[in-house]
Structures are given as C-alpha cells and as structure tokens.
C-alpha cells in the first residue's frame, strides 16, 4: 500500500471513531472536539501549584526566555522574507523535499522523518515540554489552570493546557508575555541541551577501521561480481582481514588483471565473490600500479571528525542539525550525519560504550530536533501562534505608553497578516507555479 492509501485508511478510521464518540456523547468530561480534532483532557492539574514556591527563579528564567524568543522571532521573520524572495527568482518543483506531504513534520508521511521509537518519543516529549511551560508560568503568574490534555487527529499532533480565560485577560504586560513565551523557551532550551548531550555521547564512541564497503563504483570488478554495498570484507584469497589497513596491505601486492577471491558478510550471511582486478581510474589515483576492486569504505574516524566539526560551530550547530534529516533523505546513508538519525549499517563500524547506545543518540537527536523546530516555528509573530500573542501584547503595551493605544491592534494585525502571507507563499508557491505551468502547457 502507498503512503497515501495508508493515510486515507487512518483518516477514515479516526473519523468513524470520533463521530461515534461525539454523537453518543461518550466521555463528556474528558473528550472535547475542536472541529475534526479530538481533545482528551483531565482537570487534575493541581500539581502545577507547587511551582509557585520557586516563582522568583522561574520568572527570571522566563524573562531571559522572552528576550531569546524576540530574537528568534525576528530571525524567523527575516528568514521567511528572504526565502519568499528567493522563490520569486527560482521556484522549485513540488517534488522531493518540496512535495506537499513533506510540508508537515508528520513521521512516516514526511519522507525525511522515519517512524521509529526515538522519533515518536521525541515528538511527544516536545509537546509536553511546550505545554507544561505554559502551565507552570501561568501558575507562577497567578493564572489558574483549568485542564490539560492531548490533541488527536489520526495521530497525536499536539497538547494543550487551558488557563482560566478571565485570568489571562486580566493579566497585562510581562506576566502575560512570560506565560506565552514559556513554551517556546522550554523547547529551545531543551532542544539545545539535547543536541549538547548527543555530541557528548558521540564523543565517547570509538570509531573502528572495519572494512565496511560503503559504495561500489559501477562498471568495475566489485560491481561486475555482484558485491552488494554495506558488506564487510572478511577475507581475501582465504586470508582473514579485520580492518581496512589489512585489506590495503593485501591489495597492494596485486596487479591489474589478477583474479582474487573475496569473502564478504552482509546481514549475517557470508558470500564469496571472484573479482578480476582492473587498473586504478585516473580520477582516483592513476599512478598506483596495484589492482583495483572498485569499492570505497565507510570511514568512522572521518565521520566522528565531521560531527566534531559540527559541534565546534557553537550556536550555529543546532541550525546546521535542523537540515540533517533533509540531507539524509536526499543523500541516503552517504550523508555523514545519517548515523545520528536512525539505525544504519554504519553502526557496525563503531564500538558502542554501552547497550542501546545508538538508540539513546537517536532519542537525543530527535527530541532536540523537534523541540528546536517547534520552538522556532511558534516564535513566528502570527496569531494564534505563541509568538503572535507575545507580539500583540508587546505592541499594545508599547503603544499604550506612547499614548497611541488606538493604533495598537491595527499594527499587530498588520504584522501578523504580513508574516502569514509570507508563510503561505513559502508553502504554496511550488504548487501554484507547477499548476500554472501545467495550465500553460495544455493551453
């Protein structure tokens, strides 16, 4: 079944269940509907009151967070404007990463996001971290919390807390801004912390020189013999080998035209291949007089060095990591950061410090990735995003002090509307341009 058929079946099953619950009035105290979205909620939220005991440090944390959110909001707005400007010059086709299904960060639907335990747990943790930030700061600022819950539409796609609307309306200025910004602050801080923990973990992993064949050159001996990629060479002419240096030492004694017997293991199965060696291609190392198999190896030391170089980027490293799933989708396992995202054959070329090591790395990556992207997206100054509410409250307070309060709502709506148009254009332009080209073609 295609991804579209699976998605359609899930949607139909969800709608049947949701309509049945709504029409029968089941679980009225715990299930509410927001259009087609089902909310499962609880009013047992008294534990949030505990955080009032440490309101001073939490307020300081949230205030610093507001400054950070303002910077991120400005960055995201500028990025949207620049991206749309670039699209006006060159609009990509709605394929690959620009395919409509890759717009939303839904695991299994977005081709760059796999369905793994690390992805699902990371996404759920991100939702909880965001909403708990709002709830905790609401209580710190003496706003009551009515309930909390999950939002479901086929899959869990969000969470919510319900502060008392009267308390939120009554709050003004920084208390209200801190409450709206707390979710974003939590996401960004936790995202950065997860990426830092991931880098520390990879730093203690030991890269090995396993003779893992990462790729095979077409029209050369290994390809002609049928050697599959991601095989581990275990012997050459009956001589056991355990690392790339031993393979090179044997191959240095061969000549073009010579036949060698290669034994390699893949997926636990050993197979033997007969290769008639060729000359080294000029583009690689035409001066070598030894025989050439036509393979290249996975280099775990080089990958660790690359990951270390990314970590050395400092605050730019998280931004670099946000595009890692897209690069891995485009390049496959040849992308050097792919090992951070999900299980790959390359893991056999590393010595793991403890059991479930790579699963832990993947959990930190996806938790960091989702938190960072959710935080950055919510910082965009569009109502009803948190960044939009913060922008509106800030504009109202500033204009009130300047005696221009009558213009505040108009200015806030204009900012939100402009950025909304930029976001819509960014998402829809590839499809609009493709549709126009199609119409012009058939016309």
């Amino acid at each position: 079944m295609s991804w579209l058929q699976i998605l359609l079946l899930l949607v139909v099953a969800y709608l049947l269940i949701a309509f049945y619950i709504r029409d029968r009035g089941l679980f009225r105290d715990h299930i509410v509907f927001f259009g087609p979205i089902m909310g499962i909620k609880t009013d047992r939220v008294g534990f949030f009151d505990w955080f009032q005991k440490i309101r001073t440090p939490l307020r300081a944390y949230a205030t610093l967070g507001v400054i950070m959110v303002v910077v991120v909001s400005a960055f995201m707005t500028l990025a949207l404007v620049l991206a749309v400007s670039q699209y006006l010059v060159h609009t990509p086709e709605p394929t690959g990463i620009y395919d409509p299904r890759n717009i939303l960060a839904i695991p299994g639907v977005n081709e760059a996001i796999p369905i793994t335990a690390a992805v699902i747990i990371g996404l759920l943790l991100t939702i909880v971290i965001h909403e708990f930030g709002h709830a905790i700061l609401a209580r710190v600022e003496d706003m009551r919390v009515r309930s909390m819950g999950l939002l479901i539409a086929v899959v869990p796609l969000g969470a919510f807390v319900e502060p008392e609307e009267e308390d939120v309306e009554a709050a003004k200025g920084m208390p209200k801004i801190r409450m709206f910004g707390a979710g974003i602050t939590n996401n960004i801080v936790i995202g950065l912390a997860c990426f830092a923990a991931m880098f520390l973990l990879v730093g203690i992993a030991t890269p090995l020189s396993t003779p893992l064949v990462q790729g095979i050159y077409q029209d050369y001996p290994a390809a002609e013999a049928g050697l599959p990629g991601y095989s581990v060479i275990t012997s050459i002419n009956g001589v056991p080998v355990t690392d790339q240096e031993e393979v090179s030492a044997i191959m240095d004694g061969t000549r073009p035209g010579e036949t060698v017997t290669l034994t390699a293991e893949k997926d636990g199965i050993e197979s033997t291949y007969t290769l008639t060696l060729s000359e080294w291609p000029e583009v690689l190392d035409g001066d070598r007089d030894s025989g050439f198999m036509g393979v290249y190896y996975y280099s775990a030391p080089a990958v660790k060095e690359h990951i270390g170089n990314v970590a050395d980027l400092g605050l730019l490293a998280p931004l670099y990591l946000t595009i890692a799933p897209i690069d891995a989708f485009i390049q496959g396992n040849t992308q050097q950061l792919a090992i951070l995202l999900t299980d790959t054959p390359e893991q056999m070329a590393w010595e793991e410090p403890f059991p479930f090591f790579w699963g832990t790395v993947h959990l930190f990556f996806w938790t960091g990735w989702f938190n960072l992207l959710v935080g950055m997206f919510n910082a965009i100054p569009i109502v009803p995003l948190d960044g939009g509410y913060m922008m509106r409250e800030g504009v109202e307070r500033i204009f009130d002090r300047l005696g221009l309060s009558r213009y505040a709502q108009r200015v806030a709506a204009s900012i939100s509307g402009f950025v909304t148009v930029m976001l819509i254009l960014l998402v829809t332009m590839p499809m609009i341009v493709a549709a126009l080209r199609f119409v012009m073609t058939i016309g």
Side-chain angles (χ1 to χ4, degrees):
M1 297 178 69
S2 69
W3 70 269
L4 192 56
Q5 291 173 318
I6 295 173
L7 180 60
L8 183 60
L9 285 175
L10 290 174
V11 169
V12 171
Y14 164 76
L15 290 176
L16 289 174
I17 295 171
F19 287 150
Y20 180 82
I21 292 174
R22 188 183 65 179
D23 292 343
R24 294 298 180 92
L26 302 176
F27 314 112
R28 289 178 181 269
D29 294 335
H30 299 289
I31 294 182
V32 294
F33 286 90
F34 307 93
I37 300 176
M38 180 169 62
I40 302 176
K41 68 175 185 176
T42 177
D43 56 4
R44 296 184 178 182
V45 293
F47 63 92
F48 287 121
D49 296 345
W50 180 87
F51 292 96
Q52 291 181 312
K53 299 177 182 179
I54 51 173
R55 68 174 69 214
T56 299
L58 286 176
R59 276 178 174 161
Y61 165 79
T63 301
L64 292 174
V66 168
I67 298 172
M68 178 178 64
V69 172
V70 170
V71 173
V72 173
S73 180
F75 169 79
M76 292 297 292
T77 303
L78 179 61
L80 279 174
V81 173
L82 293 177
V84 171
S85 301
Q86 182 63 31
Y87 270 24
L88 291 174
V89 177
H90 175 68
T91 305
E93 295 290 336
T95 58
I97 61 172
Y98 302 104
D99 190 304
R101 64 169 162 164
N102 293 328
I103 294 172
L104 299 177
I106 300 177
V109 175
N110 188 310
E111 294 175 285
I113 306 176
I115 300 179
T116 66
V119 169
I120 300 302
I121 294 172
L123 178 58
L124 292 178
L125 285 176
T126 298
I127 295 169
V128 172
I129 287 166
H130 182 92
E131 294 303 326
F132 271 41
H134 290 312
I136 290 170
L137 258 295
R139 294 305 297 128
V140 165
E141 301 295 350
D142 295 320
M143 303 176 210
R144 289 166 294 173
V145 176
R146 185 189 308 164
S147 65
M148 66 178 183
L150 288 175
L151 296 173
I152 298 176
V154 183
V155 295
L157 51 74
F160 65 92
V161 293
E162 288 185 297
E164 284 289 348
E165 293 183 9
E166 295 179 0
D167 294 351
V168 175
E169 288 298 322
K172 301 295 181 182
M174 280 303 292
K176 195 171 185 177
I177 292 175
R178 281 194 291 258
M179 189 274 291
F180 280 127
I184 301 173
T185 301
N186 276 5
N187 284 142
I188 294 177
V189 169
I190 295 298
L192 295 176
C194 285
F195 281 150
M198 181 198 69
F199 282 127
L200 289 174
L201 280 179
V202 176
I204 64 174
T206 303
L208 305 174
S209 187
T210 303
L212 173 62
V213 176
Q214 185 176 34
I216 297 170
Y217 295 104
Q218 293 301 312
D219 302 322
Y220 281 94
E224 293 174 353
L227 179 70
Y230 291 99
S231 300
V232 176
I233 298 175
T234 56
S235 70
I236 299 176
N237 291 334
V239 179
V241 292
T242 58
D243 56 44
Q244 296 174 24
E245 290 74 20
E246 292 179 351
V247 174
S248 296
I250 294 175
M251 292 304 299
D252 285 343
T254 64
R255 293 294 178 267
E258 185 176 332
T259 298
V260 299
T261 301
L262 186 74
T263 303
E265 179 183 328
K266 181 170 184 176
D267 300 329
I269 301 174
E270 260 193 350
S271 301
T272 301
Y273 306 88
T274 301
L275 284 66
T276 301
L277 304 178
S278 67
E279 295 182 351
W280 278 78
E282 195 72 32
V283 69
L284 294 179
D285 194 346
D287 294 333
R288 296 183 64 169
D289 57 5
S290 60
F292 180 61
M293 287 194 292
V295 303
Y296 58 91
Y297 303 104
Y298 173 75
S299 175
V303 171
K304 185 169 183 177
E305 182 180 359
H306 177 69
I307 294 174
N309 291 337
V310 173
D312 291 340
L313 294 174
L315 290 178
L316 293 178
L319 292 178
Y320 184 89
L321 290 174
T322 59
I323 65 172
I326 298 173
D327 281 349
F329 165 62
I330 295 172
Q331 302 177 41
N333 286 334
T334 59
Q335 211 279 334
Q336 289 185 305
L337 299 182
I339 196 170
L340 303 178
L341 280 59
T342 189
D343 289 334
T344 65
E346 291 99 330
Q347 291 170 201
M348 68 179 71
W350 295 75
E351 183 179 332
E352 302 180 8
F354 54 83
F356 306 109
F357 172 78
W358 288 110
T360 306
V361 170
H362 301 155
L363 179 59
F364 275 121
F365 175 86
W366 287 110
T367 304
W369 190 82
F370 278 118
N371 269 280
L372 200 62
L373 262 69
V374 166
M376 292 171 65
F377 180 78
N378 271 282
I380 298 174
I382 296 174
V383 177
L385 299 180
D386 295 330
Y389 287 122
M390 293 175 67
M391 177 272 295
R392 187 173 68 181
E393 184 68 20
V395 168
E396 289 177 355
R397 298 286 75 76
I398 292 172
F399 275 56
D400 186 53
R401 291 176 184 176
L402 295 175
L404 302 171
S405 57
R406 62 185 181 279
Y407 300 111
Q409 290 189 1
R410 192 177 306 169
V411 170
S414 298
I415 295 173
S416 178
F418 170 75
V419 180
T420 299
V421 170
M422 293 296 102
L423 184 60
I424 292 173
L425 286 175
L426 184 68
V427 172
T428 61
M429 276 182 66
M431 291 176 283
I432 292 173
V433 171
L436 290 174
R437 288 172 180 166
F438 176 75
V439 170
M440 292 175 66
T441 299
I442 63 175

